[in-house]
Amino acid sequence: FIIADKMSKAEARSKFEGVFYELIEEIDAVVAETKIAQPARDWIRENLKYNTIGGKLNRGLSVIDTYKLVTNKSELTEEEYKKVAVLGWTIELLQAYFLVADDIMDASKTRRGQPCWYLKPNVGMIAINDAFILESVLYLLLKKYFRNTDYYVDLLDLYHEITFFTELGQLLDLITAPEDQVDLSRFSLDKHTYIVTYKTAFYSFYLPVALALYMAGLATKSNLEQCKKVLLPLGAYFQVQDDYLDCYGDPEVIGKIGTDIQDNKCGWVINVALERASPAQREILDNNYGRKDSEAEARVKTVFKELDIEPYYHQYEDKVAGEIRTLIDNVDESEGLKKQVFTEFFNKIYKRQK
Amino acid sequence: FIIADKMSKAEARSKFEGVFYELIEEIDAVVAETKIAQPARDWIRENLKYNTIGGKLNRGLSVIDTYKLVTNKSELTEEEYKKVAVLGWTIELLQAYFLVADDIMDASKTRRGQPCWYLKPNVGMIAINDAFILESVLYLLLKKYFRNTDYYVDLLDLYHEITFFTELGQLLDLITAPEDQVDLSRFSLDKHTYIVTYKTAFYSFYLPVALALYMAGLATKSNLEQCKKVLLPLGAYFQVQDDYLDCYGDPEVIGKIGTDIQDNKCGWVINVALERASPAQREILDNNYGRKDSEAEARVKTVFKELDIEPYYHQYEDKVAGEIRTLIDNVDESEGLKKQVFTEFFNKIYKRQK
Ligand SMILES: [Mg+2]
Ligand SMILES: [Mg+2]
Ligand SMILES: [Mg+2]
Ligand SMILES: [Mg+2]
Ligand SMILES: [Mg+2]
Ligand SMILES: [Mg+2]
């Protein structure tokens, strides 16, 4: 049973991926119409492949899952599947736009197990224009597949708004925790909540569901409001877990060694620690956080230990999980929204170890 | 008379600039609603001011001029002026989006007489996200001022298309003439035409007129097609002049010393030279173009001189100007478009020395 479920998940992913290969051809055809030279066409194809495929595709796939749920359809026609999959790929493209740029801004070395795009030979800062192109392609696809729908303009407004919100979260993150200047007095749990909500939750949690509701004809004002009410805290909770696991997760399980402390990240753990630290502990944090030095990192972790962050996290997780369950229980299904949409998101992440 | 004309031009510019100061407050109010921390609000205000103001504002102002011309209005109501000025500022914001990024990609040092934004203390690569925000603000303004019009969705489609085209032109430019690899075999006049048309003419010449026509209710398919037919060659001609003046203009008049030869630019002059060069001259060009070395630059200029580029330019300018005049003569005014729109653009640039 579990294997069957995993099988179908892999199948769903590979069917979804197949759509992107079709889209690359469709995008190339549009580009070719402008009569641009062949090397530029090849470049765009490589940009699309390298930066959009290779991730977990959870965001894109959740558009399809949500659409099936709210329309009560276990099978979609080919045309319907393609349309909803295109919506899924627009989120993956939006994410690619942000990640290509984020890697430059964070001076990262790898992404999804391969070198960051800007580090590839001959790419360099051209990656910035490539990021721009990834975003443009998103609108090109929305136009091709949704121009004739009565919600097209709403999709555009939604994308513009969520893009802006993500940039606001990114900005606050960048100026609160610059790579090269450690200043913990800028950190706070309020800023952390803003950053995770705006930088991640809007586009990763709210956007997939909102897109599915538009296509299902269920994007009423009340339904969208309810989605925000549940999915933004859920997304923030997801990011708190991410921050916690970076520090306390098993590297064997999460598949990487956490670097948030050395990278001066404004994460949940340090912000809780700052609220609880004595002046002496604070001094240790000030002198050791954000330094590329594993002994400094160990001193930070010792303070975290003294402050009982680990047990506090589990209490906190129980509290937040309870609040989110209540929010889900209170969802009004009268306009076609379903609690199950949220329960499935919730179950995927509750008490996750990776 | 000339002074009065200049006066009113300066007045028009400063009135238009005044609108942007109002818009900064309106944008800040929207940002403030998200409850983002004050330092991020201050950062966005500074980003908007530093990168959007300070240019010649020709693109933005030409939306207003075109609108007045096609509507036969010499005076606009305050509300009407504000709306058309907002359209003008959306072009200036689009340009700011591109220029902030272009300066990083070109490793430029200054822009409009001040350090490039990415070189300001504490900015660095955060400039990439700041560029993203400039683009988002454009859509925020379109939504605030045009959401209730029947051409709103057309404005969005127009912006998405022109943005993509500009990125295509930028891409071809970047991969044809990378800063650090000189390879003249990649250059050609065809590529040059593509680059100048897509990178510059669409957003600088076609977009202002198209926006004005939408607001005037005159954006018929035929009118827009006619605008493209005239304004794209006009924009390409403008850029050919720019390339020519970079090499042959009087630095006292154009206000800067040309650097295209040392910067390995795929400009009009080198492309003409490549078409006309003997094998021996070609070798000199291959060995000396794109080198940060004034003696190499002088050797390139000697070849240009041997190839009679200067007299050829004047012939070429006469030919192109004649073709554009014919295009303007053939404009069909029956759907409310006016030849005068194009004549004014043409007269501003014909035989310009700066
Ligand atoms: Mg990063
Ligand atoms: Mg980052
Ligand atoms: Mg993390
Ligand atoms: Mg440049
Ligand atoms: Mg450039
Ligand atoms: Mg130039």
Side-chain angles (χ1 to χ4, degrees), chain B residues 109-339:
Chain B
K109 299 277 173 273
T110 60
R111 162 77 60 193
R112 297 167 180 163
Q114 52 182 10
C116 296
W117 177 243
Y118 80 98
L119 292 175
K120 297 285 289 178
N122 301 321
V123 177
M125 289 302 134
I126 298 177
I128 301 173
N129 193 60
D130 292 329
F132 289 13
I133 287 177
L134 292 167
E135 188 198 37
S136 282
V137 164
L138 172 185
Y139 291 106
L140 188 156
L141 293 176
L142 285 179
K143 187 170 178 207
K144 175 164 181 188
Y145 285 91
F146 297 92
R147 182 56 160 110
N148 63 352
T149 67
D150 56 5
Y151 54 92
Y152 176 63
V153 71
D154 298 310
L155 293 181
L156 299 183
D157 280 350
L158 177 66
Y159 257 106
H160 292 143
E161 183 172 62
I162 303 268
T163 301
F164 188 44
F165 284 171
T166 307
E167 290 154 4
L168 292 178
Q170 177 74 296
L171 175 63
L172 191 62
D173 191 20
L174 288 162
I175 67 178
T176 300
E179 247 250 307
D180 52 339
Q181 288 170 22
V182 182
D183 178 359
L184 300 183
S185 74
R186 294 185 192 161
F187 288 22
S188 74
L189 273 169
D190 276 354
K191 280 187 187 164
H192 180 261
T193 302
Y194 188 98
I195 291 168
V196 299
T197 304
Y198 281 78
K199 195 177 79 164
T200 308
F202 271 108
Y203 93 85
S204 306
F205 288 81
Y206 173 66
L207 181 58
V209 177
L211 290 174
L213 290 179
Y214 275 112
M215 187 166 150
L218 296 169
T220 63
K221 215 177 158 187
S222 151
N223 282 350
L224 292 172
E225 272 313 309
Q226 294 196 83
C227 287
K228 257 185 211 168
K229 241 187 186 160
V230 180
L231 292 166
L232 297 182
L234 194 71
Y237 166 51
F238 178 84
Q239 192 59 44
V240 168
Q241 292 176 316
D242 196 79
D243 293 351
Y244 173 80
L245 291 171
D246 187 274
C247 189
Y248 295 104
D250 179 350
E252 294 278 314
V253 178
I254 62 171
K256 62 178 178 185
I257 295 162
T259 59
D260 284 1
I261 294 173
Q262 293 199 23
D263 289 348
N264 190 34
K265 287 282 165 68
C266 179
W268 183 84
V269 178
I270 181 68
N271 278 299
V272 172
L274 289 169
E275 292 217 331
R276 300 159 79 101
S278 69
Q281 289 167 325
R282 171 63 183 252
E283 213 187 312
I284 297 170
L285 295 177
D286 282 331
N287 294 331
N288 293 281
Y289 199 78
R291 284 174 45 189
K292 308 257 177 251
D293 162 351
S294 57
E295 284 173 36
E297 185 184 21
R299 285 189 283 274
V300 170
K301 285 200 173 183
T302 303
V303 174
F304 289 173
K305 180 115 200 151
E306 291 164 13
L307 293 171
D308 289 328
I309 304 281
E310 231 180 318
Y312 175 69
Y313 170 76
H314 296 297
Q315 276 174 44
Y316 177 84
E317 173 163 42
D318 285 339
K319 195 191 77 168
V320 172
E323 288 166 1
I324 293 172
R325 276 202 201 92
T326 306
L327 287 169
I328 296 174
D329 283 344
N330 291 335
V331 164
D332 170 4
E333 296 187 326
S334 67
E335 296 186 5
L337 190 57
K338 291 195 178 161
K339 295 178 187 188

Side-chain angles (χ1 to χ4, degrees), chain A residues 242 245-246 249-258:
Chain A
D242 196 79
L245 291 170
D246 188 273
D250 181 348
E252 295 276 315
V253 178
I254 62 171
K256 62 177 179 186
I257 294 162

Side-chain angles (χ1 to χ4, degrees), chain A residues 13-30:
Chain A
R13 175 168 286 116
S14 92
K15 186 176 179 193
F16 180 58
E17 245 174 19
V19 170
F20 195 66
Y21 288 97
E22 295 170 24
L23 295 178
I24 290 175
E25 300 308 319
E26 298 170 28
I27 295 157
D28 182 49
V30 173

Side-chain angles (χ1 to χ4, degrees), chain B residues 61-102:
Chain B
L61 286 165
S62 67
V63 183
I64 302 172
D65 293 343
T66 304
Y67 180 78
K68 285 180 172 176
L69 252 174
V70 296
T71 56
N72 286 311
K73 291 176 183 169
S74 58
E75 292 291 324
L76 305 178
T77 66
E78 217 174 299
E79 198 196 329
E80 204 175 10
Y81 178 81
K82 175 88 180 242
K83 272 183 79 168
V84 71
V86 167
L87 286 181
W89 280 110
T90 59
I91 307 189
E92 298 294 334
L93 283 161
L94 182 73
Q95 168 158 270
Y97 170 61
F98 287 125
L99 296 186
V100 166
D102 183 68

Side-chain angles (χ1 to χ4, degrees), chain A residues 18-239:
Chain A
V19 170
F20 195 66
Y21 288 97
E22 295 170 24
L23 295 178
I24 290 175
E25 300 308 319
E26 298 170 28
I27 295 157
D28 182 49
V30 173
V31 171
E33 271 174 43
T34 75
K35 310 261 188 256
I36 199 169
Q38 188 64 45
R41 287 174 58 185
D42 297 339
W43 187 285
I44 291 169
R45 295 174 69 101
E46 184 60 21
N47 172 18
L48 287 166
K49 269 194 245 175
Y50 198 90
N51 294 307
T52 318
I53 308 177
K56 296 183 294 290
L57 306 179
N58 285 334
R59 292 164 185 82
L61 286 165
S62 66
V63 182
I64 303 172
D65 293 343
T66 303
Y67 180 78
K68 286 180 170 174
L69 251 174
V70 295
T71 56
N72 285 312
K73 293 175 182 170
S74 57
E75 292 292 324
L76 304 179
T77 66
E78 219 173 297
E79 198 198 330
E80 202 175 11
Y81 178 80
K82 176 88 179 242
K83 272 183 79 169
V84 70
V86 167
L87 286 182
W89 280 111
T90 59
I91 306 190
E92 298 294 334
L93 283 161
L94 183 73
Q95 170 157 269
Y97 169 61
F98 287 125
L99 296 186
V100 167
D102 183 68
D103 285 342
I104 303 173
M105 292 188 279
D106 292 343
S108 296
K109 299 275 172 273
T110 61
R111 161 78 60 192
R112 298 166 179 163
Q114 53 183 10
C116 296
W117 177 243
Y118 80 99
L119 292 174
K120 298 285 288 179
N122 302 323
V123 178
M125 289 303 134
I126 298 178
I128 301 173
N129 193 60
D130 292 330
F132 288 12
I133 286 176
L134 293 166
E135 187 197 39
S136 281
V137 164
L138 170 186
Y139 291 107
L140 188 155
L141 293 175
L142 286 180
K143 187 171 178 204
K144 176 165 181 184
Y145 286 90
F146 297 93
R147 182 57 160 109
N148 63 352
T149 66
D150 57 6
Y151 54 92
Y152 176 62
V153 70
D154 298 310
L155 293 181
L156 299 184
D157 280 349
L158 176 67
Y159 257 106
H160 292 143
E161 182 172 63
I162 304 267
T163 301
F164 188 44
F165 284 172
T166 308
E167 290 153 5
L168 291 179
Q170 177 73 297
L171 174 63
L172 190 62
D173 192 19
L174 289 162
I175 66 176
T176 301
E179 248 247 310
D180 52 338
Q181 288 170 23
V182 182
D183 177 1
L184 300 183
S185 74
R186 294 185 192 161
F187 287 22
S188 74
L189 273 169
D190 275 354
K191 280 187 187 164
H192 180 261
T193 302
Y194 188 97
I195 291 168
V196 300
T197 304
Y198 281 77
K199 194 177 81 164
T200 308
F202 270 107
Y203 94 86
S204 306
F205 287 80
Y206 173 65
L207 181 59
V209 177
L211 290 174
L213 291 180
Y214 274 111
M215 187 167 150
L218 296 170
T220 62
K221 214 177 160 187
S222 150
N223 281 351
L224 293 173
E225 272 312 308
Q226 293 196 84
C227 286
K228 258 186 210 167
K229 238 186 187 160
V230 180
L231 292 165
L232 297 182
L234 194 71
Y237 165 52
F238 178 85
Q239 192 57 45

